[in-house]
Amino acid sequence: MQSRSLSSVPLALAIALVLTACGGGGGDDGLTPTSTQAPIAHPQTKAAGSRFLAQASFGGTESEIGVMSAMGYERWLQMQFGTPASSHLAYFDAQLAKPDSDGRPRIDWVYNSFWEKALSAPDQLRQRVAYALSQIFVISAADSTVDDYPRGIAAYMDMLGRHAFGNFRDLLEDVARHPMMGLYLSHLRNQKEDPETGRVPDENFAREIMQLFSIGLYELDPDGSVRRDGNGKPLETYTNDDITGLAKVFTGFSWAGPDQSDARFRGSTKSPNRDVEPMQGYPKYHSGSEKRFLGVTIPAQSSADPDESLRIAIDTLFAHPNVGPFIGRQLIQRLVASNPSPAYVGRVSAAFNDNGLGVRGDMRAVIRAVLFDQEARDDNSASASAGKLREPVLRVAQWLRAFQAVSASGEYHVGVTDDASSSIGQTPMRAPSVFNFYRPGYIAPNTPSGDAGLVAPEMQITHETSVAGYLNTMRVAVDRGFGRDNPRDLQPDYTRLISLTTDPPALADRLDLLLMHGTMSASLRERITTAVESVTIPADPTRVAGALRNRAMLATFLVLASPEYLVMK
């Protein structure tokens, strides 16, 4: 192969490889640390440390892998628990305060802030868990109503980060009270029933807080197995009557402010921070009638009390036995594996139910159980059902972190990356619906994984168009950088990689450690070595640097395009 830009390399082989993969891929509340949980051994190799960081962060740099491997899992986790939270709202307000700002909030600042935190924030575990939570407690800037309040979205992201290491009960209440969720699922300005006009409370949020945010559709055993009746039919967790009763709870909540006037409830009187402060209750608009749901009855209130109704509802949902396995399994899926065993789910559920010190819902205990479980830490590379498909955002973030990308602007100009044909097909905080980019139970039809009954959530956004779009995007990005502007704003540093290009096996080793955590097969290693060696080093000394760089770019692209990389074991 002649020395030439990576962006001119043919795609046919890489597309075929990735399509093969598509078919077969598998608030800091002062809580006491979960000291009763057994400690876990140090990683045995740097590759094991790299794999852990791919699950617990947006990916490790070579120095971080070395530090974590020396420090050990336990000390790293405790260090991360103690690292102060980075703030999306602070990034947003800094942009708004710049002299060249026209005072108009911009939604792109939300996306840029995400990439800043993913690539450079010291609180990597918190940011990674917050991103996982954003795919469970979904709001979306794809909704035009939410898109009008980008500062509120930044505050919502901070709220998820604040509760990532807190207690699930507090997280659930703050999600229910957040004005962006109120806009997205239409319980902001939700009014009590009116028999004279026939008006009934909006039921949207009442349904989703049960179905998606807490207990799910069907009763579960502690290990996540669906409970069934004598005829084998799944037992439903709630009925339409439960939705109707719970909908009354979520009446009378609207914008925060110094009073509870009708104008403030309707939104015509505006507080400057109403998009970032929790919704407040307005007794005038709250249903005072009896509320029945999930076996609980809130008696009729002589004076309507929205805050007390909400407290009872959140307590009821939080206490439901489904929450541990329902939320625990999804966190496993987002961080470690799409198809955890029932035993794995059961151990995470047990940590949710009791952190070892009698506390329910301790997110630190849950995160520890997810990341330190034997199934998470064992080498499962030979198992067809282990691991998960890396979603596009995580692929790009890991690549950029592995090569310590810097932002030329200092502002991480990335913007929207939705387009599946010309970009990566996914933008953080822009899911197409409340069901996220993909559903946790999605089974890809007409695939080996589907035939085996395995779920592959990320496959729901993986198809011929997205595969070609990803490869086209990365073929150029590896060479020229990622993001907007000209030149591209995010520029990886390949200096160390280029120094290894005269030793192709060592080059493959470095990519294996940084991107594949020691799982690179002999066949992929040979393919990379052969491709690198085919890029000849010219006799003309002025052209040598370009050739060596092209070797590094080609090797990196072949890894990012390979099925072995796309399926993280």
Side-chain angles (χ1 to χ4, degrees), residues 52-337:
F52 176 79
L53 288 175
Q55 297 167 340
S57 74
F58 286 97
T61 66
E62 186 172 13
S63 62
E64 288 169 340
I65 292 168
V67 168
M68 205 289 300
S69 299
M71 178 183 292
Y73 298 121
E74 192 74 56
R75 286 182 61 197
W76 185 89
L77 192 74
Q78 295 304 323
M79 179 191 71
Q80 285 290 305
F81 283 157
T83 302
S86 302
S87 173
H88 295 279
L89 187 58
Y91 174 99
F92 196 97
D93 286 346
Q95 299 300 312
L96 199 59
K98 286 188 173 181
D100 59 351
S101 169
D102 59 7
R104 289 188 305 147
R106 287 174 168 76
I107 189 63
D108 275 3
W109 295 345
V110 171
Y111 312 136
N112 298 345
S113 179
F114 169 84
W115 287 103
E116 182 201 41
K117 303 299 181 289
L119 301 187
S120 63
D123 57 330
Q124 277 289 297
L125 177 63
R126 184 191 301 273
Q127 295 302 322
R128 182 68 185 83
V129 172
Y131 179 59
L133 293 174
S134 78
Q135 295 185 293
I136 299 173
F137 302 96
V138 175
I139 65 167
S140 177
D143 181 282
S144 60
T145 306
V146 177
D147 182 75
D148 285 340
Y149 297 91
R151 189 166 179 263
I153 301 174
Y156 186 85
M157 295 162 74
D158 279 354
M159 181 272 294
L160 295 179
R162 185 168 61 252
H163 290 299
F165 300 160
N167 190 281
F168 184 84
R169 192 243 175 253
D170 300 328
L171 168 63
L172 191 61
E173 178 167 352
D174 272 11
V175 166
R177 281 187 177 271
H178 203 284
M180 296 304 101
M181 182 60 77
L183 286 171
Y184 190 54
L185 291 184
S186 57
H187 62 293
L188 186 147
R189 294 191 294 258
N190 190 15
Q191 297 187 43
K192 64 184 178 183
E193 67 276 14
D194 184 344
E196 291 187 8
T197 65
R199 183 182 66 216
V200 296
D202 187 292
E203 298 180 350
N204 200 17
F205 185 71
R207 180 183 303 104
E208 305 306 356
I209 196 174
M210 291 190 289
Q211 179 181 349
L212 300 177
F213 302 162
S214 60
I215 65 177
L217 289 172
Y218 303 116
E219 292 185 18
L220 303 174
D221 287 326
D223 66 1
S225 301
V226 176
R227 300 182 63 195
R228 300 178 184 275
D229 62 18
N231 297 318
K233 184 179 179 181
L235 295 170
E236 295 182 350
T237 54
Y238 60 87
T239 66
N240 193 66
D241 288 341
D242 293 314
I243 296 173
T244 300
L246 191 57
K248 294 181 181 180
V249 169
F250 300 112
T251 55
F253 289 93
S254 191
W255 301 107
D259 57 55
Q260 295 174 324
S261 65
D262 292 351
R264 192 170 302 281
F265 178 85
R266 292 192 298 268
S268 53
T269 298
K270 302 177 182 180
S271 168
N273 287 315
R274 68 176 190 166
D275 52 348
V276 303
E277 295 177 347
M279 291 187 292
Q280 66 184 14
Y282 291 73
K284 176 180 179 179
Y285 295 96
H286 180 68
S287 173
S289 63
E290 182 182 81
K291 308 170 185 69
R292 294 176 179 267
F293 54 90
L294 300 177
V296 171
T297 299
I298 300 177
Q301 300 167 331
S302 55
S303 297
D305 191 340
D307 294 321
E308 177 63 8
S309 297
L310 179 63
R311 183 192 66 78
I312 295 171
I314 298 298
D315 284 346
T316 300
L317 291 169
F318 176 60
H320 196 286
N322 262 32
V323 182
F326 182 71
I327 296 297
R329 185 174 190 273
Q330 290 188 74
L331 287 174
I332 295 171
Q333 288 184 306
R334 299 282 59 80
L335 300 176
V336 177

Side-chain angles (χ1 to χ4, degrees), residues 35-58:
S35 56
T36 61
Q37 292 178 304
I40 184 172
H42 274 47
Q44 298 300 305
T45 63
K46 284 189 175 182
S50 174
R51 179 170 172 267
F52 176 79
L53 288 175
Q55 297 167 340
S57 74
F58 286 97

